[in-house]
Amino acid sequence: MRGRGILALCALAVAIAPGAAYGQGDNARYELANDCWAMKSKSNGKFLAKAGTGYRTSGGTPAEGEPLYLKPTELGKYLLYTRGREFVGASNGKAQTAAQPSEATIWTIDGTAGALKLVNGGTGLGLAGDEAVLVDSGAAESFSFEKASNCSPYPEIETNVSGTPSSNPIPYNETRGFADFHMHMMAFEYFGGGFHCGKPWDRFGVEYALVDCPDHGPGGAGAAAENAFSSGGTTPTHDTVGWPTFNYWPKYNSYTHELSYYKWTERAWASGLRLYVNLLVDNAPLCEVYPVGRRNSCNEMDSVRLQAKRLRELEGYIDAQAGGPGKGYLRIVEDPFEARRVINQGKLAVIMGIEISKLFDCGIYNDQPDPGCDTKSIDRQLDEVYRMGVRGMEIVNKYDNALSGVAGDSGSAGVVTGTGNKYETGDFFDLKTCTDEDTDRGPTSTPGTEQDQIFGATLNLFLPGGTAPVYPPGPVCNTKGLTVLGEHLVRRMIEKGMMIDPDHMSVLARRQLLNITESKNYSGVLTSHSWSTNDAYRRIANAGGAQAPYAGNSTSFAKEWKERKAMANSRYLFGMGYGADANGLGAQGAPRKDAAKNPVKYPFKSFDGAVTIDKQQSGSRVYDINKDGVAHYGLYADWVEDLRMIAGQEIVDDMAKGAESYLQTWERAVGIPGPGCRSARGKFTKDGLFGLKLNRGPDDTLRASGQPATRQGRTWTWCVDGNRNTKSRAAATYTPEGTVALVSSNAKGHRAKRVEVGSKARGKVLRRSTRKFGRGVLISRNRKGAKTVYGLRKGRVSYIAVATRSASKNKKTLAGYLKVAGLR
């Protein structure tokens, strides 16, 4: 096994009290994950022990058995890793030691606690007998697993975060945490699968996940793209060793190597990341012209399907590491209500999206849509990806398609992508000089931003040569806008409540799209990585859309945060996401130039104080944001702290609302009315006020009453119209189980029967229909059903409420609900 000499880099041998009785419950086979065990035969009471190169059962204590570290390869399947850093495999009809992991070293474990059976993945045979022989799986012997000591831990990357990440026991509460609107964690499959080196996980672990591309040859000499644009073409080779030294990669400006290994992402999650949008991404021309290691289809929709499958596999793998289905830190979500519950559980909500140039196979050639691209095909494939879990999309990426014109790239990269457009569509970009405030990115002889140059440099290496047209002087605009087919798709996305990201669209197409969303009062729009223009940013903000500048370096992000905050619409919650574009040929943040004057100091606390974050160690490499920048995704934890160093606590507070801002936008997209004040004239009924009804759950309350002003504790509040009600609130207070038990208001003009808030406390109606129910509280006399409650203060009615029978069953219970509602 590679890297056997790195024991000092792993944790010390696992030392758990031996002989402890193992596991109860239905998850017994999952709970073995990443722990040290001895296997006890149920038939003879002896423990599996090593015998030469094989195994047999002998001895009656765990100490006499072979201590095995169980490393999951997926849910319910394990590598049995020995103290000698080898594997229990299968050969010649028996369990045998193997030096390297393979199918023959993977064991499926099934059964119940105390009676678990092992079936070998390479042979399909089960383990049985004193001599550890392989038999038909139906005849496999049962084993119990008892805690052992002195295992060799399986090599893995550290998160270097201590403490328990924050969670919220109330699943429908407002969330806190960071949000990445633009992430490409499955990009290891794009461009045919041979362009990107490394991947976010491997069933055999980090030593197999974080390796260079095998087709790149000695010293990486065959990695033309990497060697060209990561070293400026001055170095024809690069250090190809990933784990455990990481001498060359990952780094902030290495664009073909893995940045989001699942333990690095875990570090970001533990430090406050609570939501990210995983965009399934590809580019057919790059796939077709890149000469190295292609193993996948170059059809972009095929790649979308493959990457969606891989994302589900990653979710299962992380669950397996954590001990069972649903136990991992990452959950794929499909609606904002599920996302809210997941985040409040303290987990990372992942939303699937798409960013490709030929969406739904709707390319264009010589101004004609590709064969088969029509409204029926669009509807069919939109339904397909929706069933897959996709909930957001960019309609275009790098080239014009049958749906929309594209924004293009700036600088010299724009010339190259124009050639790519010719390759893909039969035409160069059709650009004109324009005088508007907002323009597309124009090709010139001068360099553009890092976002632009990387993609263009890659294309330039492999596209067929040719002469580009003479583009008009800038600023320029693409003459192609939103097509009839594109408009059809936008309207269908609105019907499905999907998130629409117009970042890569031409200015003309983006304006046409926003005209449609605004005509529908649709909030489900966002900008994910600074590829739109100021006009669009303002319109998206005014519509209640979500905002995320391109992450990049901390200095430029802080500048853009200020600009976006100035555009915010006060009606909606302002929270700031970021768009990392990790693994998507987007440059990550370089070390801050003045970091020596005001460096991030390790260790530091997370934004909420829940965890302590130290320098991240991967193998023998230790990373420091001050020197390395955002070398991999785990350093976004450090990047946020760097933002605090240069822009203060305010920027971190706004970013901590990033996940909530996205969720509220998504809620509005799926039909939840936006925030707004309730009328100052309202009458309580026996079950509530306006759309606030007793016994409803949070989701139904949202649908009926719209988004509240606050969602703190077990009480949601809504503002009330009128100058005399500036501090008044209508509210719904939930039971611990999550149904409304109390609807209340302290707003002038709200009444029950003929009693208004502010009325004198000695009115006839109150005297005849209520009784005292604690200090300053009157309650209706009816014996059955909900009760009307009146709060008294200084001789007047200070609030009115209706309470369920259970919430008003006695004075103490009602007083508790009134306290939770903030009424006493």
Side-chain angles (χ1 to χ4, degrees):
M1 184 178 186
R2 295 192 304 276
R4 291 186 200 171
I6 60 169
L7 175 61
L9 305 178
C10 301
L12 293 176
V14 177
I16 303 170
Y22 169 61
Q24 303 292 324
D26 296 335
N27 285 328
R29 67 191 183 118
Y30 304 124
E31 293 168 356
L32 301 168
N34 295 308
D35 213 338
C36 186
W37 304 99
M39 291 173 53
K40 183 178 182 181
S41 167
K42 192 172 182 181
S43 63
N44 63 21
K46 296 179 181 179
F47 287 85
L48 186 73
K50 193 170 182 182
T53 60
Y55 293 86
R56 60 170 295 120
T57 56
S58 63
T61 67
E64 296 176 90
E66 173 72 15
L68 299 171
Y69 189 90
L70 267 68
K71 178 66 175 178
T73 59
E74 60 182 279
L75 281 165
K77 297 184 178 183
Y78 294 90
L79 300 172
L80 309 184
Y81 191 53
T82 72
R83 182 166 40 191
R85 291 182 162 69
E86 295 176 315
F87 301 87
V88 178
S91 178
N92 299 320
K94 297 182 65 176
Q96 297 280 347
T97 295
Q100 303 289 340
S102 68
E103 284 291 337
T105 67
I106 297 175
W107 298 86
T108 298
I109 300 180
D110 206 351
T112 58
L116 293 168
K117 297 182 179 183
L118 285 78
V119 174
N120 182 261
T123 64
L125 300 175
L127 187 65
D130 290 350
E131 301 297 324
V133 297
L134 299 178
V135 298
D136 183 82
S137 59
E141 187 174 342
S142 294
F143 289 85
S144 63
F145 285 74
E146 297 190 13
K147 289 289 180 71
S149 60
N150 299 320
C151 278
S152 293
Y154 204 78
E156 187 54 280
I157 277 176
E158 304 171 42
T159 64
N160 303 103
V161 174
S162 59
T164 302
S166 293
S167 61
N168 191 322
I170 302 173
Y172 47 84
N173 246 15
E174 187 172 301
T175 62
R176 295 186 72 209
F178 309 131
D180 182 352
F181 291 8
H182 201 106
M183 166 74 147
H184 300 292
M185 201 169 182
M186 298 299 107
F188 68 99
E189 296 286 14
Y190 74 173
F191 304 168
F195 182 88
H196 184 92
C197 306
K199 49 189 175 178
W201 87 103
D202 186 276
R203 61 181 179 162
F204 296 144
V206 65
E207 294 179 276
Y208 294 81
L210 295 182
V211 294
D212 213 314
C213 295
D215 299 302
H216 284 178
E226 176 68 23
N227 294 332
F229 60 64
S230 291
S231 62
T234 59
T235 306
T237 62
H238 65 271
D239 187 332
T240 60
V241 178
W243 172 272
T245 57
F246 298 112
N247 289 329
Y248 174 77
W249 66 275
K251 61 178 182 176
Y252 73 90
N253 61 346
S254 174
Y255 307 107
T256 68
H257 291 99
E258 182 58 46
L259 297 175
S260 59
Y261 183 66
Y262 86 100
K263 294 297 286 187
W264 292 332
T265 307
E266 181 180 339
R267 172 182 166 91
W269 156 74
S271 306
L273 181 68
R274 288 296 177 270
L275 180 151
Y276 82 73
V277 180
N278 188 91
L279 292 167
L280 313 172
V281 63
D282 214 320
N283 186 281
L286 259 180
C287 176
E288 291 164 1
V289 302
Y290 188 70
V292 181
R294 186 189 306 160
R295 64 177 184 270
N296 299 332
S297 166
C298 288
N299 179 280
E300 293 178 6
M301 288 304 298
D302 286 346
S303 186
V304 163
R305 296 178 184 100
L306 176 61
Q307 291 178 47
K309 178 184 177 184
R310 293 288 183 259
L311 186 60
R312 298 282 180 185
E313 291 171 356
L314 173 64
E315 180 184 50
Y317 181 81
I318 292 173
D319 279 353
Q321 307 311 308
K327 291 191 174 182
Y329 71 85
L330 178 153
R331 311 293 334 138
I332 300 169
V333 298
E334 297 184 0
D335 64 57
F337 316 110
E338 179 187 17
R340 185 175 299 279
R341 291 189 292 271
V342 163
I343 293 171
N344 279 323
Q345 288 170 2
K347 296 179 183 289
L348 173 60
V350 176
I351 303 157
M352 267 198 270
I354 297 176
E355 183 188 28
I356 58 178
S357 289
K358 199 180 288 189
L359 183 62
F360 302 147
D361 300 309
C362 278
I364 192 170
Y365 202 82
N366 291 335
D367 280 332
Q368 295 299 313
D370 287 347
C373 174
D374 54 28
T375 56
K376 289 183 179 180
S377 175
I378 289 170
D379 290 347
R380 175 179 56 79
Q381 293 192 72
L382 180 63
D383 289 342
E384 177 194 359
V385 299
Y386 191 88
R387 287 192 301 271
M388 283 164 40
V390 171
R391 293 297 182 267
M393 295 190 300
E394 297 193 26
I395 292 173
V396 68
N397 186 14
K398 285 295 177 182
Y399 315 115
D400 295 331
N401 62 23
L403 307 171
S404 173
V406 71
D409 291 89
S410 59
S412 55
V415 177
V416 180
T417 51
T419 304
N421 201 71
K422 170 72 172 177
Y423 175 92
E424 180 76 345
T425 73
D427 293 305
F428 291 101
F429 291 131
D430 185 9
L431 305 179
K432 68 175 183 179
T433 300
C434 53
T435 57
D436 290 352
E437 172 193 358
D438 299 296
T439 62
D440 289 316
R441 302 190 177 202
T444 67
S445 59
T446 58
T449 66
E450 284 185 300
Q451 274 180 287
D452 302 323
Q453 290 191 85
I454 299 155
F455 190 88
T458 307
L459 276 176
N460 196 39
L461 287 171
F462 304 112
L463 275 177
T467 303
V470 177
Y471 289 110
V476 295
C477 292
N478 190 340
T479 63
K480 295 185 183 298
L482 189 67
T483 69
V484 173
L485 289 173
E487 180 177 338
H488 173 81
L489 174 58
V490 170
R491 293 185 185 279
R492 291 284 287 117
M493 290 180 70
I494 291 173
E495 290 172 10
K496 287 183 172 291
M498 298 178 73
M499 298 289 280
I500 305 172
D501 183 351
D503 261 13
H504 279 288
M505 299 174 77
S506 68
V507 165
L508 176 59
R510 193 183 304 121
R511 287 175 176 172
Q512 292 168 326
L513 181 147
L514 292 174
N515 288 343
I516 295 172
T517 58
E518 288 167 357
S519 72
K520 296 287 187 180
N521 293 317
Y522 190 68
S523 277
V525 287
L526 72 151
T527 169
S528 68
H529 64 325
S530 301
W531 216 282
S532 289
T533 53
N534 285 335
D535 172 65
Y537 298 146
R538 284 189 289 266
R539 292 177 71 177
I540 290 170
N542 286 332
Q547 301 265 350
Y550 178 63
N553 67 73
S554 53
T555 303
S556 62
F557 183 88
K559 178 178 180 292
E560 197 158 358
W561 157 70
K562 290 182 180 179
E563 294 170 353
R564 299 290 183 91
K565 189 164 187 174
M567 299 178 187
N569 184 332
S570 60
R571 180 187 175 194
Y572 303 105
L573 174 74
F574 176 76
M576 188 92 284
Y578 64 90
D581 206 3
N583 296 328
L585 298 185
Q588 303 304 291
R592 180 160 46 90
K593 292 180 179 179
D594 62 348
K597 298 179 181 178
N598 188 25
V600 169
K601 297 178 181 178
Y602 294 91
F604 58 89
K605 287 287 188 180
S606 60
F607 80 99
D608 54 6
V611 302
T612 301
I613 304 159
D614 211 336
K615 292 180 181 179
Q616 198 282 319
Q617 180 168 353
S618 296
S620 60
R621 176 73 185 275
V622 177
Y623 291 93
D624 182 334
I625 189 75
N626 302 298
K627 299 176 182 178
D628 301 305
V630 184
H632 60 67
Y633 201 86
L635 294 173
Y636 271 101
D638 314 54
W639 178 78
V640 171
E641 178 67 4
D642 198 41
L643 286 170
R644 191 184 69 81
M645 300 303 294
I646 63 173
Q649 188 62 34
E650 183 183 355
I651 191 171
V652 178
D653 291 343
D654 284 345
M655 293 183 69
K657 300 172 188 173
E660 181 64 26
S661 175
Y662 189 99
L663 293 187
Q664 291 192 20
T665 295
W666 196 7
E667 285 176 348
R668 294 188 289 272
V670 299
I672 301 302
C677 294
R678 307 301 94 176
S679 171
R681 305 303 299 175
K683 182 180 180 180
F684 278 87
T685 65
K686 62 181 180 181
D687 61 353
L689 174 70
F690 303 123
L692 304 178
K693 302 295 184 184
L694 297 176
N695 299 309
R696 279 182 173 166
D699 297 356
D700 288 337
T701 299
L702 277 174
R703 291 185 181 96
S705 297
Q707 294 176 316
T710 66
R711 311 186 202 198
Q712 300 298 326
R714 296 200 332 260
T715 295
W716 290 0
T717 68
W718 287 258
C719 59
V720 180
D721 289 335
N723 292 335
R724 59 181 183 163
N725 287 320
T726 55
K727 296 183 179 180
S728 300
R729 296 290 183 265
T733 300
Y734 293 90
T735 65
E737 294 73 30
T739 59
V740 177
L742 184 79
V743 174
S744 62
S745 174
N746 61 357
K748 302 291 195 307
H750 289 173
R751 61 191 175 91
K753 297 183 179 179
R754 288 175 289 169
V755 178
E756 286 193 8
V757 173
S759 298
K760 292 182 179 180
R762 295 184 179 183
K764 291 181 180 180
V765 176
L766 285 177
R767 290 200 306 269
R768 293 174 181 175
S769 62
T770 64
R771 58 191 174 93
K772 191 173 181 180
F773 206 68
R775 183 178 179 184
V777 177
L778 300 179
I779 193 170
S780 58
R781 294 180 182 275
N782 54 301
R783 295 183 178 181
K784 296 181 179 180
K787 302 292 179 68
T788 304
V789 182
Y790 302 90
L792 307 180
R793 188 169 183 270
K794 295 182 179 180
R796 292 190 177 273
V797 175
S798 58
Y799 63 83
I800 301 174
V802 289
T804 61
R805 187 175 182 181
S806 60
S808 57
K809 64 183 179 181
N810 56 51
K811 296 176 184 178
K812 183 177 180 180
T813 301
L814 179 60
Y817 276 98
L818 294 173
K819 183 175 182 179
V820 171
L823 296 173
R824 43 181 317 151

